[in-house]
Amino acid sequence: MANLKELSRVIPERLSSGHRLCAGCGASIAARQILMGTENPVVVGCSTGCLEVATTIYPYTAWEVPFIHNAFENVAATISGVETAYRALKKQGKIKKDIKFVAFGGDGGTYDIGIQSLSGALERGHNFVYVCYDNEAYMNTGIQRSGATPYGASTTTAPAGKASFGKSQFRKDLTAIVAAHNIPYVAQASISNWNDLVTKSQKAFSVNGPAFLNVLAPCPRGWRFPSEKVVEVSKLAVETGFWPLYEIEDGKWKLSYKPKQIRPLADWLYLQGRFKHLKKEENKKAVEELQANVDKRWKELLIKCEEAGK
């Protein structure tokens, strides 16, 4: 693959500078890398969330492509309707270009509020790419816990304190839920591994039918780490096995990156202020339970990818 500089010469910038996302925001990095995955004209839909509200403050926009504003829950339904209209017009000969369609949703708009419209669009088989930029909470409205928030994290609606060690449920495995729809392409990626992410984006845009990318996009404000550490924090999520990189093509699971040695989860947890209470002795058990859950899921993934024992 070409490097980022070479890609930028071929594919014009589709999310311009000047938007109002926070410094170090993982969502903007994810969007820019994903939009390098196709040279075709592209239509973007975006559910209400950080990426949407901070890039489209009326009367301005940071998008250099056609963009559709959506409510929190319906970006998959909207983009599937647009894709259907496109196919009808192309069949009538009124559109000649090959146009791609992509929907962006945060974890709140995907794991929770928008999962119904996403499931319906996947089941109907629309030709589009759905991207979940996962920053693990409802960051835009005040860092409330979502279905993607990790066990033990402190949020404004699951705060750590005398009565609690933070969120008491493990996160939902959305990538596996989407894979159960048996669509052509599903992948999990991270902004820290840009080559892997752009390659997966290229595959997602090239398949005939729905494709899904679940991309870890850390939030310095909600995760409470310095903004310049966003790539480091994202990379450690991969190296500790918390956020494994893999893809599922036509039902075949494949690990796309295997760390030489899985690092302790604590290396990732303790870089973030949302987990600082887990350093206390009384919360040691929560760290052990979280580590055990990550280990269990990693072993299950290796089996699915036929990597166990290698």
Side-chain angles (χ1 to χ4, degrees), residues 28-29 166 178 187 262:
S28 60
I29 300 172
V178 172
I262 298 289

Side-chain angles (χ1 to χ4, degrees), residues 53-208:
V53 300
T55 58
T56 60
I57 298 175
Y58 184 80
Y60 307 107
T61 179
W63 295 92
E64 303 288 354
V65 293
F67 180 90
I68 307 172
H69 173 279
N70 289 265
F72 221 146
E73 72 281 9
N74 65 353
V75 65
T78 301
I79 210 72
S80 62
V82 176
E83 187 267 342
T84 300
Y86 159 74
R87 279 190 286 113
L89 291 171
K90 195 165 188 185
K91 189 175 181 181
Q92 296 169 27
K94 295 180 179 178
I95 292 179
K96 304 296 184 186
K97 296 179 180 177
D98 290 325
I99 300 174
K100 302 295 183 181
F101 301 88
V102 58
F104 287 98
D107 52 284
T110 309
Y111 282 70
D112 300 335
I113 299 173
I115 195 169
Q116 181 184 14
S117 68
L118 172 61
S119 179
L122 298 178
E123 187 269 335
R124 292 190 299 273
H126 293 280
N127 192 6
F128 77 116
V129 179
Y130 190 100
V131 179
C132 175
Y133 63 96
D134 186 347
N135 55 27
E136 302 190 331
Y138 291 83
M139 298 306 183
N140 178 53
T141 51
I143 317 175
Q144 297 94 348
R145 59 86 84 193
S146 77
T149 303
Y151 183 78
S154 181
T155 70
T156 53
T157 50
K162 292 181 180 178
S164 171
F165 60 89
K167 190 188 176 195
S168 58
Q169 301 86 23
F170 289 101
R171 54 179 288 134
K172 197 184 296 181
D173 190 351
L174 180 69
T175 309
I177 292 171
V178 172
H181 288 73
N182 297 315
I183 61 175
Y185 189 75
V186 178
Q188 193 161 283
S190 166
I191 62 165
S192 57
N193 297 60
W194 72 265
N195 196 317
D196 177 74
L197 176 52
V198 174
T199 299
K200 286 172 176 171
S201 176
Q202 290 172 334
K203 289 185 178 181
F205 278 114
S206 66
V207 300
N208 183 24

